[in-house]
């Protein structure tokens, strides 16, 4: 049982009890140095609390005197009275622990306010665009209290928890005891802050820490990882780790200087979508590190001709099975593959190789793991407190988009990845689930908005604001929406009523195309409209054509596994699918493994089936994807008008009986075009006539049936146009259409 000492002390007993009991809301009012009056005599008192201390002493720095402190409460509350002092003076505490360890450090409760009034104002207004520089743990130097300019290195901690009774920093340095280092509350913005000297922490880098949050209600007491932490332990552990973000030296200036020329609507964008933990594995099945991935993945992507890598979420997450889509660390790359500097080195290597990096980013929801954001300060702080707060599909929590501080947290997270990690764009996950109040909810499980509709007005406002801020702060970065409905103007500016994204995944194209290709060719004529329908809306948004990770899991089969027919037909169908994709207007995205014709569904827990490349048929698919990327990047007609109707014209989409379509892709220079002819049946069609816009010689620049791709090598070579009008074109070609093939034809024009 705790006991009080008899000697004289000045600390109010109720405050001492609050400190020892762990419920002191204002620790600076009792701990540290204070002027006190005893019998109308003004003196100075120093108080501290260390329950694991055998002894405590005060070193007076201007005199060198060491004054023992008196234990006035058996739980570890100490005080020293300085009868000859009337003004504050510089001092350090000397802590002798119960195990004999001695530490000497400046008193954390002697330091003044840390965050500026301007920082607090921006946080309170929900417009602190560099929130990560204000909150979290930051290594810095401060002037020692009451000294003549002496500097003290340490860590400033700050966290937003406006409804908490008490928040403390805990770690090995205080034996994870939340009573030892309670923080100062800045009520203007609901921020708690504290500076801990390096000498107390035992160093200022790689220190493990959490925030212990004591709520005001129902005895809530919870250890929380830092919401703005830069680095966290590898799961299942969850402590935050101090990290200095400023020490990495980038070498991607050339890429950044020309990024605005590369990431445009009229430039080729071919994306390789990757889950870092399962692209390749190391010996014993271990994960590759970020630096090993930089050495292996980056050259591979460059050799394959992709312009960008898109990473499934690398933000810290506790559950491998979520693939990163249930985020707990919105400011930390996952420690599964290395440190923050290691991830910067990976991005740096991509940029030096001329490859852009898009990151999947998840603002729609977050998991219920108690070390994360859920019920953070004993209240529904980050999440909605009503029916909107629970996501029915993923059993996660939904961010409160009506709260300015929460929106600020998310927008700052987005800017953080673009600025601190030089990401070239963000793919925003699950946008559709944010736009609709009734998303995945049955009648009676949701309530309409103030206008009686199902639109989620607060989330819509957030998405618009997100895009406005990103494009104002990082003008050449791209934002990409995963949005699966017919919501209008997703990729139109907010000032004309749009959501402000740069690109949108064309989920309709993906679903219709895969539905069509899954049909036996004999039945495809009955589903011809599923193939051609996408061109009715192809230019209503700036589209990316995705063949993504979502289509090769959960029993959906791999792309090769979806294809009908016997073995040869499966491979020919897959080649034709890729040919159709690269001929169709829109930027391109292909999930890893599809380029080697993976047989099995994607498994996050193991690497891709690279052994398949011992077979010529799989090598052929890989060569085709490489050559399609080369063609896409070198032919302006295939990319310059990707998002504009002026770049596309049907030649014939009526030949459903033969399952043949043909069209022309135009460059901005009207003399430059590519004609694409697709035969989606396993029938050889000789002397098949199509109309073309120009006379002269046309040559086959790519044919998915060529032998090097595993085809039958039926080729047209060079074909001379005849002055025979056909299909509303002034000239025509007579072609051989190999079975299940896509042909790309280009006119030979001198000095084009």
């Amino acid at each position: 049982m705790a006991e009080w000492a008899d000697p004289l002390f000045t600390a109010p007993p109720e405050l001492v009890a609050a400190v020892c009991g762990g419920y002191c809301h204002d620790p600076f009012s009792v701990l540290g140095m204070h002027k006190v009056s005893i019998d109308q005599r003004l003196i100075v008192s120093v108080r501290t609390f260390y329950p694991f201390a055998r002894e405590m002493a005060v070193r007076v720095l201007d005199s060198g005197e060491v004054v023992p402190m008196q234990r006035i409460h058996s739980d570890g509350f100490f005080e020293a009275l300085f009868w000859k002092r009337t003004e504050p003076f510089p001092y350090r505490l000397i802590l002798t622990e119960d195990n004999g360890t001695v530490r000497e450090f400046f008193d954390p409760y002697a330091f003044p306010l840390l965050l500026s009034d301007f920082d607090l104002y921006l946080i309170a207004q929900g417009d602190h665009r560099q929130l990560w520089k204000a909150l979290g743990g930051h290594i810095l130097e401060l002037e020692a209290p009451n000294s003549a300019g002496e500097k003290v290195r340490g860590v400033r901690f700050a966290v937003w928890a406006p409804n908490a009774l008490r928040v403390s920093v805990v770690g090995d340095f205080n034996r994870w005891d939340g009573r030892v280092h309670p923080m100062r509350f800045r009520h203007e913005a609901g921020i708690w802050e504290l500076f801990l000297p390096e000498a107390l922490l035992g160093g200022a880098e790689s220190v493990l820490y959490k925030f212990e949050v004591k709520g005001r209600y129902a005895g809530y007491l919870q250890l929380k990882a830092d919401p703005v932490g830069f680095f966290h332990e590898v799961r299942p552990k969850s402590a935050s780790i101090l990290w200095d973000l400023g020490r990495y030296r980038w070498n991607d200036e050339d890429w950044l200087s020309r990024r605005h020329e590369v990431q445009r609507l009229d430039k080729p964008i071919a994306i390789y979508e990757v889950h870092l933990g399962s692209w390749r594995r190391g010996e014993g099945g271990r994960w590759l590190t970020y630096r090993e991935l930089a050495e292996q993945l980056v050259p591979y992507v460059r050799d394959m001709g992709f312009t960008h890598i898109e990473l499934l979420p690398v933000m810290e997450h506790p559950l491998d099975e979520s693939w990163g889509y249930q985020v707990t660390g919105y400011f930390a790359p996952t420690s599964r593959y290395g440190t923050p500097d290691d991830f910067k080195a990976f991005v740096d290597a991509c940029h030096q190789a001329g490859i852009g990096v898009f990151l999947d980013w998840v603002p729609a929801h977050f998991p219920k793991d108690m070390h994360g954001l859920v019920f953070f300060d004993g209240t529904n702080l980050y999440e909605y407190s009503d029916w909107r707060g629970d996501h029915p599909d993923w059993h996660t929590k939904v961010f409160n988009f009506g709260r300015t501080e929460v929106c600020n947290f998310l927008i700052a997270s987005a800017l953080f990845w673009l600025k601190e990690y030089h990401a070239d764009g963000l793919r925003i996950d699950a946008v559709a689930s944010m736009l609709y109040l009734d998303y995945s909810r049955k009648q009676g499980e949701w309530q309409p908005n103030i206008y009686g509709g199902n639109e989620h007005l607060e989330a819509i406002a957030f998405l618009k604001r997100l895009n406005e801020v990103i494009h104002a702060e990082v003008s050449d970065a791209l934002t990409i929406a995963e949005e699966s409905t017919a919501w209008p103007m997703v990729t139109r500016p907010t000032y004309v009523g749009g959501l402000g994204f740069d690109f949108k995944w064309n989920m309709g194209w993906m679903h219709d195309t895969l539905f069509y290709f899954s049909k036996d060719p004999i039945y495809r004529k009955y589903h011809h409209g599923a193939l051609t329908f996408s061109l009715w809306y192809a230019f209503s948004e700036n589209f990316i054509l995705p063949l993504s990770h979502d289509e090769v899991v959960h029993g959906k089969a791999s792309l090769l596994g979806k294809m009908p027919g016997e073995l040869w037909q499966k491979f020919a169908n897959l080649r034709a699918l890729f040919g159709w994709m690269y001929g169709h207007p829109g930027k391109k995205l292909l999930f890893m493994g599809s380029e080697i014709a993976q047989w099995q569904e994607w498994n996050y827990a193991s690497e891709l089936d690279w052994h398949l490349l011992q077979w010529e048929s799989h090598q052929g698919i890989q060569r085709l994807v490489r050559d399609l990327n080369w063609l896409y990047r070198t032919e302006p007609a295939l990319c310059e008008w990707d998002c504009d109707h002026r770049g596309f014209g049907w030649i014939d989409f009526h030949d459903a009986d033969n399952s043949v379509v043909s069209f022309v892709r135009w460059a901005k220079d009207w003399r430059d075009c590519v004609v694409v002819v697709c035969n989606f049946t396993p029938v050889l069609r000789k002397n098949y006539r199509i109309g073309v816009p120009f006379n002269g010689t046309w040559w086959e620049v790519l044919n998915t049936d060529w032998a090097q791709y595993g085809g039958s090598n039926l080729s047209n070579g060079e074909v001379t146009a005849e002055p025979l009008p056909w299909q509303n074109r002034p000239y025509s070609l007579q072609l051989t259409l190999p079975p299940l093939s896509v042909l790309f034809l280009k006119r030979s024009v001198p000095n084009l």
Side-chain angles (χ1 to χ4, degrees), residues 119-131:
D119 277 321
L120 295 179
Y121 170 78
L122 292 177
I123 293 171
Q125 293 297 309
D127 196 28
H128 201 305
R129 299 185 182 182
Q130 299 188 77
L131 188 67

Side-chain angles (χ1 to χ4, degrees), residues 333-405:
T334 178
S335 53
R336 287 168 173 81
Y337 318 124
T339 69
D341 282 2
D342 294 336
F343 183 58
K344 288 184 176 182
F346 172 80
V347 177
D348 208 350
C350 290
H351 287 171
Q352 292 179 56
I355 299 167
V357 179
F358 296 149
L359 303 180
D360 271 16
W361 183 69
V362 190
H365 62 114
F366 61 92
K368 298 178 181 178
D369 299 75
M370 286 308 297
H371 70 274
L373 300 178
V374 66
F375 216 61
F376 189 82
D377 63 357
T379 68
N380 298 114
L381 185 64
Y382 285 90
E383 66 268 31
Y384 283 109
S385 60
D386 57 15
W387 60 269
R388 294 172 294 176
D390 290 293
H391 201 293
D393 284 349
W394 304 303
H395 307 292
T396 50
K397 305 301 289 186
V398 177
F399 282 104
N400 184 347
F401 301 110
R403 184 157 194 167
T404 55
E405 299 96 332

Side-chain angles (χ1 to χ4, degrees), residues 263 265 269 271 310 357-359 361 414-415 418 423-429 431 463-472 474-482 490-492 494 499-505 542-544:
Q263 299 194 151
L265 295 181
I269 295 179
I271 305 165
E310 181 176 309
V357 179
F358 296 149
L359 303 180
W361 183 69
L415 292 175
L418 297 171
D424 303 292
L426 299 175
R427 179 265 198 182
I428 316 301
D429 180 63
V431 170
L463 289 170
K464 290 182 177 182
R465 178 65 175 159
L466 170 72
N467 283 309
E468 289 170 351
V469 172
I470 287 177
H471 291 125
V474 193
S475 60
D476 54 354
L478 300 179
T479 58
I480 304 164
E482 187 214 15
V490 172
T491 58
R492 297 297 179 261
T494 58
L499 293 182
F501 288 94
D502 295 293
F503 288 100
K504 171 182 172 175
W505 274 20
N542 303 329
F543 280 122
I544 291 174

